[in-house]
Every structure is written in C-alpha cells, then in structure tokens.
Amino acid sequence: MTDPSTEDDVGARRRSGAVGILGPALLAVVCGTAYAAVSLLRFRRFETPSWDNAIFEQAIAAYSRLEAPIVDIKAPGYNILGDHFSPVTALVAPFYRVFPDGRTLLVAQAVLIALSVWVIARGAVRLLGSAAGLAVGLAYGVSFGIASAVWVDFHEVAFAAVFLALSGVAYLERRWWTAAAWSLPLLLVKEDLGLTVLAVGIVLALSGARRIGAATAVIGLCGFALTLLVVIPSFNPGGGYDYVGVIGAGGEGGPGPWATFWAGWDLKLPTLIATFGVTGFLALRSPWVLVAGPTLLWRFVGDNEYYWGTDWHYGLVIMPIVFVAMLDAIARLRAAEEAEERSRWTWASPTWLRRYATHVPALVAGVALALVSQFPLARLAEAETYEASPRAAAAEEVLALVPEGAKVETDIGLITHLTSDRTVYWTGTVGDAVPDWMVIDAFTSWGGQAPDAAAYARERHPGTSWETVLDRDGYQVARRID
C-alpha cells in the first residue's frame, strides 16, 4: 500500500512563487561556479591529487575520436573498460572534441554536480516551499561529499550524482516508473552501481511499487553480474576483475572482508556520523536511505583507507541519497501528523520528532555552512588559492620543452598537464613502451628520494641513451638521444 506521504504538497508549490522557480537554478549556477573555480584554480597551481583526471582524459579523448578508450597511463594499449566500466564518460567527448584540454573535464564535473544541486533544490522547494527548500539545496550543495569530490578532480561518479538526484526526487514524489528509469543509467557509470540499482528496486518494492521494484532489482542485479563477470573480464588483459583483492584482500592471504569491515572504525565512524549528520540524522527514517547501503558496504570492506574517510570522491554518490531520504522523512512525518488529526486511532510519530523535522532544513543549512571551513570549498576564501604556484615558471618551462605529440613517461606531478596533446605513460605502468621524454617531479611520488631522470630512464629502458635537458625547482626533464 502506498504511504499517505506520497501526496504532492500543492500548497508548498503555490507558496514558492518565482523564488521557488528561479531559486534552485540560481543556487545551482552559484554552486557550479564555485566547483569549477576550485578545480580550475587547483589546476592552475599545478596541484595534482592523483592520476585520475589524466586517465579519464585519455579515455574521453579516444571517445572523441570515435576510438576504443585506450588509456596508456594504466598500461600501453590498455582498454579502460577492462578496469572500470564507465562508458557514460563518452558523453563528455563532444565537448572535449571542441576543447581538448584536461580542464574540460573539470568544468564538466562542475556542471554535472550543479545539475544535481538544481534537482535536489527543486524537489525540496516543491515539498517544503521556497525558504526551507532552498536551505536544503544549499546544505546539499556545500556538503562535504561534494566539496571533497570537486577537490580531487574529475571522476565518473559525477554522473551518478545527477541520476541519483533525479531518481530520488521522483521517488519523493511517488513517480515510481520515473524513479526506476532514472536509476538504470547508473549501470553505465560504474560497475558497483548495479547493486545500487538493485537497492532502488528493493526500496520501490517496500514502498508499494512491487512489480516496478522487482523488475528494477532484477535489472540491477543482472547488470552488475554481467558487467563484473563478463564485460570487464573481456577487456581486461588478465581476463578478470583487478579489484577483487581490494575487498579486504580476500583470496590473497589478506584478512578478508569480514576482518577488514571491523578495522579502521576511527575513520569509519566519523564518516558515518558526517554522512547522516548532514541531514540531522533524519535520513535514517526513510526507506530511501537503503540505497546508500551498497556503496557504504563496499567502502567499509575495502582494504584501502582512502575509502573509509571523507577526503576523496567516495562520498559523492551518497550525498543525493541521504538528502532525498531526509526530505522523504519530513514528508512522512508531516503525513503522519495529518493522519493523526483525521483519526485518533492512527499511529503517529512522537510529537517532538515532528517538531524537530520542521526545523531540520534550517538546521542542516547551518551545519553545512559551519562545516564549509573544514572542506575544500573554503579554499576560495584563501588568498593563496589565487596566487601562482612558487614552481609555476619551472612547470611552464617543462611543458614548453616537451613537444606536442611526444611520448612521455612521467610521475603524478605534471601528468594532468601533459596528457592533453602528448602520449603519456606513468612511471609505474610503462611496461615495454619506450618514451622519448622522461619528466620527474621530485616533490611527488618519490618520498623525497627522486632519482636522476636520465639515469632512471637508462635503467628502465636498457639500450637507450638519455640526456638531462632541464633540472629546475624539483623538475627534471630527460630526452632520449638514441
């Protein structure tokens, strides 16, 4: 039976007026501008958090040429579909074709997350009215999961934020078919999200849409199995899935997922508190919160400590889920109060909880704003963010020295800046490929023990000769001469 809280609050929509219509769009524009600014300013300062942006750029560049997504950074000739199944990133390819630059991905991510802000804020306004709805949209837009994701450059889960927001708001408004339909593209975002689609189906079934929910759950489970057991192995050089060992190092002499799950709760508990605390813990009263289960589970059984905390992009998938769950809980508590007024025999939630729910939008907005200083969006208020890197001149000299079209082996330091118009390999996965240039940044990846670039290149590629052509501010460039 459908919950009485499924009815749309027409009064709230009428009270929202022009502010309720334009407010979510304006909020999304402001947030998107902030996200892009954080990413682009970091790029300008040559602060590279990882190789991920470069990996996605190589894949998207290949898509833009209508070629297979070969990512030489992972290994020469490596098809990225054998690593993670994220064909949805091809949607960025047309824009990359026009603007072939790593910054295109950063702007694309900012736009995608801003779209999710618009969807969440619009749904909140429809339910709660302008002021409360925009407060929820603001809390979502500056939440730690989003801020941390923006800080670590482009990742495919930016698409998941949009699809989960659209599916969640459809669920909030009890548009079952739409909620199911918007969850299905998650199968093209990343392989683990098939389990998230399964969870969406389960929640739809629990909420009364049994047939739709069952169908969605079956599609999610089958999509997950097909991707993990067939599609990825067919592209993977080893014929398997490289991240099985990450799940608690199971099968590789490690502690196993059960032991790993119970480890690291000095990081995991604060993550859980932050995840649900951004909703005033009200998200826990909605069935929709179950959709977050698969992501939280694989993160907590994974043996990589980065999965457990709040500093990377792993919380981005969770944010639209918990905010929709919070809105759903508010709607359910409101419906319970109305039902109590109609019949003294109807069970109702505690009065204090219903009163608390009316103040949650303002509370979560206040908490989110208070926490901004602890997460990367606060960098926009720091003067240093807008200043050139102390090593900018040397970095620019490196980029000018290595010609377009060259084959380059490098570490993390300048990998994001070198990728756009050169064939780039990573020092750890170059394999048998022989580059023309070696670029080393002594301040990254080497633990203070960076080798001489020319000597390192000769050692890694026997039978070749190299000369150092630049050694400045920690950057070394060696050129192959034979």
Side-chain angles (χ1 to χ4, degrees):
M1 177 180 254
T2 302
D3 193 285
S5 65
T6 62
E7 298 178 4
D8 187 25
D9 190 341
V10 178
R13 282 189 292 165
R14 290 175 178 171
R15 292 193 301 272
S16 66
V19 174
I21 295 173
L22 299 176
L26 180 60
L27 178 63
V29 169
V30 171
C31 287
T33 301
Y35 305 151
V38 166
S39 298
L40 294 175
L41 288 168
R42 181 169 189 169
F43 186 95
R44 175 176 173 266
R45 287 180 55 82
F46 298 97
E47 298 174 346
T48 305
S50 73
W51 64 354
D52 291 351
N53 205 81
I55 286 176
F56 284 110
E57 184 179 0
Q58 285 191 338
I60 290 169
Y63 284 133
S64 74
R65 299 188 298 267
L66 302 181
E67 298 173 356
I70 300 302
V71 175
D72 292 311
I73 292 173
K74 288 289 295 184
Y78 190 99
N79 190 317
I80 199 62
L81 295 178
D83 184 59
H84 289 302
F85 187 70
S86 304
V88 72
T89 57
L91 294 177
V92 182
F95 304 98
Y96 187 87
R97 181 82 177 188
V98 179
F99 304 104
D101 190 281
R103 286 166 287 195
T104 299
L105 279 64
L106 303 180
V107 173
Q109 175 169 260
V111 171
L112 288 167
I113 300 176
L115 282 173
S116 76
V117 172
W118 174 69
V119 173
I120 295 291
R122 185 189 61 168
V125 165
R126 286 170 62 88
L127 176 69
L128 305 174
S130 297
L134 290 176
V136 170
L138 176 63
Y140 171 74
V142 301
S143 60
F144 75 89
I146 288 178
S148 296
V150 168
W151 184 245
V152 294
D153 292 350
F154 179 88
H155 288 90
E156 73 286 88
V157 288
F159 284 96
V162 180
F163 296 138
L164 284 166
L166 289 165
S167 179
V169 169
Y171 172 81
L172 184 66
E173 297 174 353
R174 297 338 189 221
R175 294 181 285 118
W176 307 126
W177 277 111
T178 305
W182 276 121
S183 73
L184 298 183
L186 293 171
L187 294 170
L188 303 178
V189 176
K190 199 173 179 184
E191 62 277 2
D192 65 284
L193 291 174
L195 294 179
T196 299
V197 177
L198 167 64
V200 169
I202 292 172
V203 172
L204 290 175
L206 291 174
S207 300
R210 293 182 177 84
R211 292 184 179 179
I212 298 172
T216 303
V218 169
I219 292 173
L221 184 59
C222 291
F224 170 74
L226 180 66
T227 300
L228 207 64
L229 302 178
V230 178
V231 177
I232 291 179
S234 70
F235 289 104
N236 187 284
Y241 181 57
D242 290 340
Y243 298 92
V244 171
V246 173
I247 307 303
E252 297 184 359
W258 181 251
T260 304
F261 176 80
W262 291 110
W265 279 93
D266 57 322
L267 293 175
K268 294 174 182 177
L269 184 58
T271 295
L272 285 179
I273 292 172
T275 297
F276 299 111
V278 294
T279 70
F281 297 98
L282 208 55
L284 295 170
R285 287 192 60 86
S286 167
W288 190 253
V289 78
L290 297 175
V291 178
T295 298
L296 287 172
L297 182 60
W298 77 253
R299 286 174 61 189
F300 286 1
V301 300
D303 65 355
N304 187 335
E305 291 188 8
Y306 289 134
Y307 299 161
W308 306 343
T310 60
D311 292 337
W312 287 76
H313 58 286
Y314 303 108
L316 180 56
V317 170
I318 303 294
M319 291 298 100
I321 298 172
V322 295
F323 273 89
V324 166
M326 178 192 71
L327 291 170
D328 182 52
I330 293 173
R332 290 173 183 273
L333 289 167
R334 177 188 294 173
E337 183 175 16
E338 292 173 355
E340 183 182 16
E341 292 175 355
R342 290 194 297 267
S343 173
R344 64 189 181 91
W345 300 108
T346 301
W347 179 86
S349 301
T351 301
W352 70 267
L353 185 58
R354 298 199 301 269
R355 290 176 178 173
Y356 170 70
T358 64
H359 298 292
V360 161
L363 173 66
V364 297
V367 169
L369 289 173
L371 291 177
V372 163
S373 63
Q374 305 300 313
F375 292 97
L377 289 178
R379 302 296 179 96
L380 292 174
E382 299 175 1
E384 181 184 1
T385 301
Y386 303 90
E387 298 172 356
S389 166
R391 299 198 297 153
E396 293 289 357
E397 188 173 350
V398 172
L399 298 177
L401 186 61
V402 181
E404 293 184 10
K407 296 180 179 179
V408 187
E409 181 179 350
T410 188
D411 50 33
I412 298 299
L414 290 178
I415 196 167
T416 300
H417 294 76
L418 288 164
T419 299
S420 299
D421 48 16
R422 303 166 183 89
T423 299
V424 175
Y425 307 100
W426 184 57
T427 53
T429 56
V430 66
D432 295 330
V434 180
D436 302 312
W437 296 80
M438 176 72 69
V439 176
I440 285 179
D441 178 2
F443 292 180
T444 63
S445 307
W446 303 99
Q449 301 296 322
D452 175 80
Y456 181 77
R458 286 192 293 269
E459 178 184 348
R460 294 295 300 271
H461 306 286
T464 60
S465 299
W466 296 76
E467 66 174 355
T468 298
V469 294
L470 176 69
D471 187 349
R472 178 182 174 188
D473 291 343
Y475 293 115
Q476 293 184 57
V477 180
R479 179 177 58 198
R480 183 162 63 90
I481 58 177
D482 183 16

